[in-house]
Amino acid sequence: MATQASRSASRLMISPAVILLLLWMIVPLAMTIWFSFLRYNLLMPDAVSFSGFENYHYFFTDPAFWPALFNTLILVLGVLAITTIGGTLLALLLDQPMFGQGIVRVLVIAPFFIMPTVSALVWKNMFFNPVNGLFGWAARSLGFAPIDFLAQYSLLSIIIIVAWQWLPFATLILLTALQSLDREQLEAAEMDGAGPVSRFYYIMLPHLARATTVVILIQTIFLLSVFAEILVTTNGGPGTSSTNLTYLVYAQSLLQFDVGLGSAGGIVAVILANIVAIFLMRMIGRNLEM
């Protein structure tokens, strides 16, 4: 057993890393909070003054705020729906014995290792382009007019791109959970006359509940900050149809050069992300106690 001296020594040895990590997080956060209370525009760097909660008032009353918040929720929920349902189906498929199973699993997981910018460019030019894209060619081959997805269905296009990236992650987690299921339980249910649907609903699905909750938690934290896919493909448009909170903060900070307003938006985004994270953590805690 560890003695008091060894525990003290371990805390002393790990303290530099902990302090560095805290400074790495606290200093930028503190600066963002401070800038959010300033009237600070990069076009007028000498005209800096304290503005109180004025930036927060402007951010909440910005006509683009509520559409951005709505788009953020739709983006998160849409990607979660696609990845959890699709990941479960792919996990069930990959769990079956097949020829070249290892290669198939690697190919399914591969999109997760592609950079978001590269993934967005591939979808933008190879699939969604109405002139040279694959979907446009398929529509013309069938006698239909090609659809400009990024202009007509911009938010749906972003959801598809992001879901394609995160689907391998959900598949991997759910496949790992599925492989930990006791096979004797499935065989016993099959011998008792339970069909595939009954075995999935009453045995597999409850077993995947914890893994699904973990997938939802991790993905939600990252999906709240989706940015590169929007910047590369739609730039938040047309209008604000594909603008989320992260892109709105970028637009106010770096396109309008308003550091104070952008900092206020960043703090609002951080608070909303923490609220969602706390809610999901409590949900996970309840599932783990069951």
Side-chain angles (χ1 to χ4, degrees):
M1 297 178 62
T3 63
Q4 182 64 32
S6 62
R7 286 194 294 267
S8 300
S10 63
R11 293 193 189 99
L12 182 62
M13 294 176 65
I14 202 174
S15 58
V18 174
I19 293 172
L20 180 61
L21 183 60
L22 287 175
L23 291 176
W24 188 271
M25 294 186 298
I26 291 176
V27 171
L29 180 61
M31 292 181 64
T32 305
I33 295 175
W34 169 246
F35 284 136
S36 69
F37 291 107
L38 299 179
R39 188 180 291 108
Y40 182 16
N41 194 296
L42 294 178
L43 298 178
M44 299 176 290
D46 296 329
V48 179
S49 60
F50 185 78
S51 62
F53 290 94
E54 183 179 317
N55 289 321
Y56 292 93
H57 172 72
Y58 285 148
F59 184 77
F60 282 117
T61 56
D62 189 333
F65 171 73
W66 292 108
L69 180 60
F70 177 76
N71 291 338
T72 302
L73 296 177
I74 294 298
L75 174 63
V76 172
L77 294 176
V79 174
L80 288 178
I82 294 174
T83 53
T84 52
I85 296 174
T88 302
L89 296 177
L90 281 175
L92 290 172
L93 179 63
L94 295 177
D95 192 46
Q96 305 300 318
M98 66 178 71
F99 177 76
Q101 189 178 49
I103 298 177
V104 173
R105 290 180 178 178
V106 171
L107 292 176
V108 169
I109 298 172
F112 186 66
F113 299 102
I114 299 177
M115 293 179 60
T117 306
V118 176
S119 172
L121 286 173
V122 168
W123 277 90
K124 177 182 179 180
N125 297 301
M126 294 185 63
F127 293 97
F128 290 146
N129 190 298
V131 178
N132 302 316
L134 181 62
F135 294 157
W137 171 83
R140 287 190 298 270
S141 300
L142 296 175
F144 300 103
I147 299 174
D148 190 352
F149 284 92
L150 294 176
Q152 301 178 20
Y153 306 101
S154 54
L155 186 59
L156 176 61
S157 302
I158 299 298
I159 291 174
I160 292 174
I161 295 173
V162 178
W164 180 79
Q165 286 183 274
W166 282 96
L167 183 60
F169 171 78
T171 302
L172 181 62
I173 299 298
L174 295 171
L175 177 60
T176 304
L178 196 60
Q179 289 180 334
S180 65
L181 179 62
D182 187 4
R183 298 297 169 179
E184 295 181 357
Q185 188 177 3
L186 292 174
E187 294 173 358
E190 185 177 2
M191 292 178 63
D192 289 338
V197 177
S198 298
R199 293 198 301 271
F200 171 75
Y201 185 78
Y202 291 104
I203 299 178
M204 294 182 182
L205 201 57
H207 182 76
L208 293 175
R210 294 185 178 183
T212 303
T213 308
V214 173
V215 168
I216 292 175
L217 171 63
I218 296 177
Q219 286 192 172
T220 301
I221 293 174
F222 284 94
L223 293 176
L224 288 171
S225 60
V226 169
F227 171 74
E229 294 86 348
I230 299 175
L231 178 67
V232 171
T233 55
T234 64
N235 280 317
T240 58
S241 59
S242 61
T243 298
N244 64 350
L245 285 177
T246 306
Y247 191 85
L248 180 61
V249 172
Y250 158 78
Q252 292 172 340
S253 301
L254 298 180
L255 299 184
Q256 300 178 17
F257 303 101
D258 196 331
V259 177
L261 187 59
S263 299
I267 296 301
V268 172
V270 168
I271 293 174
L272 292 176
N274 279 276
I275 292 174
V276 174
I278 292 172
F279 171 76
L280 291 175
M281 286 297 294
R282 290 184 176 180
M283 185 173 65
I284 283 182
R286 287 197 298 266
N287 286 338
L288 294 178
E289 291 174 359
M290 294 175 58

